[in-house]
């Protein structure tokens, strides 16, 4: 089965014309690199305007690598807090322009080392670039960072993220525990932004994946380092979503593949629990948490598996009888959401981006004026010192 690939941002959205119309500040990167090296050698800080100029003047793939080095140096300097939002945006655009999408992703995944905290529009450009190349795993890596920064604010970001997640899962990848956790969290948090069949199905699948991790490694393995609830019971939350959909009148449904995944997961976990009971070995896996109360909480949750399995059968029957199970897989539901909402959602983003570029440019020009004033003042002070020294002689 093939799916409509309109789940891509329009040419108008990704157009670079507005960005390139900014006033140019042409620089020789070799001279700039030598200047920054001298500044760092003297243990002085490089200004945010200097690193911004360097990134803006990238003109080749090799210079992308050079800029990465100086972004790292800047992040580990006294001025690290002053990396400008427009510099982050420019960096991502330059990476995309010169075929260095992997470099943009590397700095994003290592955001603490590079200071890469993009705005929503910039996130969209990067996700879209991976999707257009059908690199859904790479797109999901970007979505993971959106999730960690809790930046599912724009409808476009939600749709692109859903498309990336559902398309990647449709390839039936072998997921590690870590990948189950991040994909589950992204599906859940992004799904909460959509009050429709697509969002509810994403929430269900997300809770199922997180519940699998919880059963295998304990609740602390789920929420540590994630913007998630620390209260045990993610499989219970998945069943609560089923119950809510079954009881709510209207058109909301759950995708069959999400319901089937939860069913298969409960069967596998129940079989593993039965094997453990008969053999005395913990086949659910996971590491011991080291704290008795944590182990007790995790064990109490595992003991609820028979109840969860029984409740699932009841709710599944209610969903089926009420016509609340959509035979279309999640990926198709997302494609439908794309057709209905992506194009119309782009307009407000583009208007906001235009305003933001204007604000960035005004701030940049202010910094340029301030830099000029400081240089003039420094030159005046230098001349005054020379004059005083000449007079003293």
């Amino acid at each position: 089965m093939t799916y409509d690939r309109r789940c891509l941002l329009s040419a108008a959205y990704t157009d670079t014309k507005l960005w390139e119309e900014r006033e140019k500040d042409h620089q020789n990167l070799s001279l700039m690199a030598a200047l920054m090296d001298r500044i760092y050698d003297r243990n002085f800080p490089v200004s945010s305007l200097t690193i911004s100029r360097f990134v803006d003047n990238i003109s080749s793939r090799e210079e992308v690598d050079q800029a990465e080095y100086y972004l790292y140096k800047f992040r580990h300097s006294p001025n690290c807090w002053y990396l400008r939002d427009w510099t982050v945006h420019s960096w991502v655009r330059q990476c995309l322009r010169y075929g260095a999408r992997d470099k943009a992703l590397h700095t994003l995944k290592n955001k603490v080392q590079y200071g890469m905290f993009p705005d929503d529009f910039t996130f969209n450009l990067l996700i879209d670039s991976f999707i257009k190349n059908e690199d859904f795993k790479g797109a999901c890596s970007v979505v993971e960072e959106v999730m960690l920064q809790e930046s599912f604010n724009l409808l476009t970001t939600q749709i692109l993220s859903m498309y990336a997640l559902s398309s990647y899962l449709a390839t039936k990848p072998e997921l590690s525990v870590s990948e189950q956790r991040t994909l589950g969290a992204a599906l859940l948090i992004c799904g909460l932004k959509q009050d429709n069949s697509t969002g509810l199905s994403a929430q269900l699948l997300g809770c199922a994946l997180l519940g699998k991790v919880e059963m295998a490694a304990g609740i602390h393995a789920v929420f540590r380092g994630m913007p998630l609830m620390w209260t045990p019971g993610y499989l219970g939350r998945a069943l609560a979503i089923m119950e809510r959909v079954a009881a709510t009148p209207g058109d909301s449904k759950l995708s069959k593949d999400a319901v089937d995944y939860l069913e298969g997961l409960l069967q596998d976990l129940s079989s593993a629990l039965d094997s453990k009971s008969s053999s005395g070995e913990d086949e659910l896996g996971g590491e011991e948490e080291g704290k008795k109360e944590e182990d007790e909480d995790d064990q109490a949750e595992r003991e609820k598996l028979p109840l969860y399995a029984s409740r699932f059968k009841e709710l599944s029957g209610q969903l089926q009888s009420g016509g609340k199970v959509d035979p279309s897989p999640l990926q198709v539901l997302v494609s439908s959401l794309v057709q209905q909402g992506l194009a119309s959602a782009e307009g407000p983003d583009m208007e906001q981006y235009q305003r933001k570029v204007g604000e960035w440019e005004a701030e940049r020009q202010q910094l340029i004026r301030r830099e000029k004033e400081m240089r003039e003042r420094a030159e005046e002070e230098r001349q005054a010192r020379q004059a005083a020294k000449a007079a003293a002689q």
Side-chain angles (χ1 to χ4, degrees):
M1 183 180 295
T2 59
Y3 301 99
D4 192 339
R5 291 190 63 218
R6 170 60 185 89
C7 193
L8 301 170
L9 296 173
S10 67
Y13 196 104
T14 59
D15 186 39
T16 62
K17 181 180 179 182
L18 177 63
W19 184 247
E20 292 176 350
E21 284 178 345
R22 298 176 306 146
E23 182 179 335
K24 303 298 182 184
D25 188 0
H26 298 290
Q27 301 286 333
N28 182 304
L29 289 196
S30 296
L31 295 178
M32 287 197 72
L35 172 63
M36 286 192 287
D37 288 339
R38 288 197 303 271
I39 292 174
Y40 283 129
D41 288 343
R42 297 170 65 186
N43 292 321
F44 289 148
V46 165
S47 72
S48 63
L49 193 55
T50 300
I51 193 67
S52 174
R53 285 178 176 134
F54 196 95
V55 172
D56 282 345
N57 280 275
I58 291 172
S59 60
S60 68
R61 178 64 177 82
E62 291 72 21
E63 289 174 353
V64 169
D65 295 334
Q66 195 175 14
E68 179 201 355
Y69 168 76
Y70 286 107
L71 283 167
Y72 179 89
K73 291 279 288 184
F74 186 84
R75 182 62 175 173
H76 292 79
S77 73
N79 277 350
C80 61
W81 301 110
Y82 299 104
L83 185 66
R84 306 294 170 173
D85 290 343
W86 71 76
T87 305
V88 175
H89 180 75
S90 181
W91 165 248
V92 172
R93 279 199 178 274
Q94 297 285 47
C95 287
L96 297 181
R97 180 178 183 180
Y98 293 106
R101 187 174 57 244
D102 59 328
K103 191 66 68 175
L105 181 58
H106 171 74
T107 55
L108 182 60
K109 300 297 287 184
N110 294 277
K111 52 187 175 292
V112 175
Q113 300 298 323
Y114 292 95
M116 288 294 130
F117 298 92
D119 65 295
D120 298 338
F121 192 92
T122 309
F123 267 131
N124 282 355
L125 295 179
L126 191 53
I127 296 172
D128 178 68
S129 176
F130 279 102
I131 289 176
K132 281 182 176 177
N133 284 272
E134 298 188 349
D135 182 355
F136 300 122
K137 184 174 183 178
C140 286
S141 293
V142 182
V143 174
E144 177 187 345
E145 296 304 316
V146 177
M147 177 269 295
L148 291 172
Q149 295 187 34
E150 300 183 72
S151 294
F152 293 114
N153 301 312
L154 300 181
L155 179 56
T156 47
T157 308
Q158 297 164 25
I159 295 175
L160 287 171
S161 298
M162 288 278 203
Y163 190 89
L165 293 165
S166 63
S167 297
Y168 179 52
L169 290 173
T171 65
K172 307 294 184 183
E174 290 291 331
L175 300 176
S176 65
V177 172
S178 176
E179 289 172 328
Q180 291 168 16
R181 184 176 79 132
T182 55
L183 291 174
L187 283 164
L188 173 58
I189 296 173
C190 186
L192 287 169
K193 298 288 186 177
Q194 292 283 323
D195 187 20
N196 50 37
S197 297
T198 306
L200 289 165
S201 299
Q203 292 176 47
L204 178 64
L205 187 54
C207 283
L209 286 166
L210 293 171
K212 183 178 182 180
V213 176
E214 181 183 359
M215 288 293 170
I219 185 61
H220 281 70
V222 174
F223 73 79
R224 186 178 291 118
M226 289 282 184
L228 294 170
M229 291 179 60
W230 58 268
T231 309
Y234 277 91
L235 289 179
R237 293 185 187 102
L239 295 175
I241 294 169
M242 294 179 64
E243 183 174 8
R244 187 166 75 251
V245 173
T248 302
D251 298 331
S252 294
K253 299 180 180 181
L254 293 172
S255 65
K256 186 176 184 299
D257 59 344
V259 176
D260 288 348
Y261 179 83
L262 179 58
E263 180 180 25
L265 173 61
L266 288 171
Q267 290 174 351
D268 292 344
L269 291 173
S270 297
S271 297
L273 186 63
D274 292 341
S275 298
K276 172 195 172 185
S277 299
S278 60
S279 66
E281 296 178 359
D282 186 356
E283 295 189 18
L284 289 176
E287 299 179 357
E288 294 184 3
E289 294 295 333
K291 293 184 179 180
K292 183 177 180 181
E293 59 271 23
E294 293 174 2
D295 289 338
E296 290 176 349
D297 288 341
D298 295 337
Q299 184 59 36
E301 186 62 24
R302 290 179 182 127
E303 290 173 354
K304 293 179 182 178
L305 272 173
L307 177 62
Y308 286 157
S310 174
R311 184 61 177 152
F312 174 85
K313 291 180 181 179
E314 296 176 13
L315 292 171
S316 180
Q318 293 176 22
L319 288 169
Q320 292 286 354
S321 62
K324 291 286 190 173
V325 177
D326 194 318
S328 302
L330 178 60
Q331 189 181 18
V332 172
L333 295 183
V334 174
S335 294
S336 177
L337 183 63
V338 169
Q339 294 295 323
Q340 297 169 11
L342 183 59
S344 60
E346 288 185 354
D349 287 12
M350 294 164 66
E351 292 175 3
Q352 183 183 32
Y353 175 65
Q354 187 171 8
R355 289 193 299 269
K356 184 174 290 185
V357 170
E359 293 168 359
W360 285 345
E361 186 61 13
E363 187 178 355
R364 188 174 73 96
Q365 292 300 326
Q366 183 181 22
L367 289 176
I368 291 173
R369 288 192 297 271
R370 187 185 306 168
E371 179 188 62
K372 182 179 178 181
E373 292 170 358
M374 291 178 64
R375 285 179 175 174
E376 290 174 349
R377 191 179 306 118
E379 178 62 21
E380 290 173 359
E381 292 174 354
R382 187 186 68 82
Q383 292 179 0
R385 287 195 300 271
Q386 287 183 340
K389 183 177 180 181
Q393 291 177 348

